[in-house]
Amino acid sequence: AGSVGAMGVTSQLKARLGEERYRLLQSVSVEYQRGTTSVDAYYDVALTILDGDAGSLLALAGKLPDEAKKTELLAFHERRTRETAADAAAAAAAAARAAALAAEAESTARRLDRVASLRPLAPIHRVPDSNASLASSDRSAKTDDERIDRLAADADSSNDVMRELLAEEDDEDCCP
């Protein structure tokens, strides 16, 4: 098997795994070849016995006498490798999305901190009790209109400050 002085695949595995684990690998390999174990079960068990060494599993697959079993095992390995790569890519994409969302949340938090530090909260204007306003006939419409105009002007002023602050790019030197 191979060049002079080089150990064959099975001899190398026997030396690396030890007699007990090698016999276990041999047993599940025979079950796979007989068709009593599915390709996915065999692949997972053999890979576990081999400590995840897919190269050794592929070397064993190359020694299978049944071409159909060999082809099935190699195709399963390729499919599993693609699935693992796709899962890793999906996990990386999810991590990138999470990082982008975290950065966006941090940016929004900084903007809100800037807004809070630049202007105190506007006073809360209480809306009079609706029954009292209906019962009060001595109030003039002019007073209510003036009050509404004042509230609208305060709201416009607050909105202008917010628009200005949120439209600017984050300025890291602005705040301690």
Side-chain angles (χ1 to χ4, degrees), residues 130-148:
S130 61
N131 292 337
S133 65
L134 290 175
S136 168
S137 60
D138 60 341
R139 278 180 143 182
S140 71
K142 183 178 179 184
T143 305
D144 285 340
D145 288 341
E146 289 172 356
R147 187 178 210 194
I148 290 170

Side-chain angles (χ1 to χ4, degrees), residues 12-26:
Q12 289 175 356
L13 285 175
K14 195 174 203 176
R16 191 179 98 210
L17 298 175
E19 186 68 32
E20 186 176 333
R21 286 176 60 203
Y22 178 77
R23 292 278 175 222
L24 181 60
L25 178 63
Q26 201 174 34

Side-chain angles (χ1 to χ4, degrees), residues 26-73:
Q26 201 174 34
S27 172
V28 296
S29 295
V30 167
E31 287 179 22
Y32 171 64
Q33 291 175 60
R34 288 183 181 158
T36 57
T37 299
S38 67
V39 68
D40 55 329
Y42 172 68
Y43 185 88
D44 291 339
V45 170
L47 210 53
T48 300
I49 294 169
L50 293 167
D51 297 322
D53 181 7
S56 292
L57 182 57
L58 294 176
L60 281 176
K63 295 181 68 64
L64 287 173
D66 183 342
E67 285 298 319
K69 290 289 184 183
K70 183 187 302 187
T71 302
E72 178 185 43
L73 183 57

Side-chain angles (χ1 to χ4, degrees), residues 107-148:
S107 174
T108 301
R110 280 196 308 270
R111 284 183 173 140
L112 290 175
D113 285 346
R114 271 181 50 198
V115 169
S117 70
L118 293 176
R119 182 159 193 235
L121 292 175
I124 298 174
H125 299 285
R126 296 198 181 270
V127 175
D129 183 28
S130 61
N131 292 337
S133 65
L134 290 175
S136 168
S137 60
D138 60 341
R139 278 180 143 182
S140 71
K142 183 178 179 184
T143 305
D144 285 340
D145 288 341
E146 289 172 356
R147 187 178 210 194
I148 290 170

Side-chain angles (χ1 to χ4, degrees), residues 160-172:
D160 290 343
V161 170
M162 290 296 290
R163 272 192 218 93
E164 180 181 323
L165 287 172
L166 294 176
E168 293 177 7
E169 289 297 318
D170 282 341
D171 187 24
E172 296 297 328

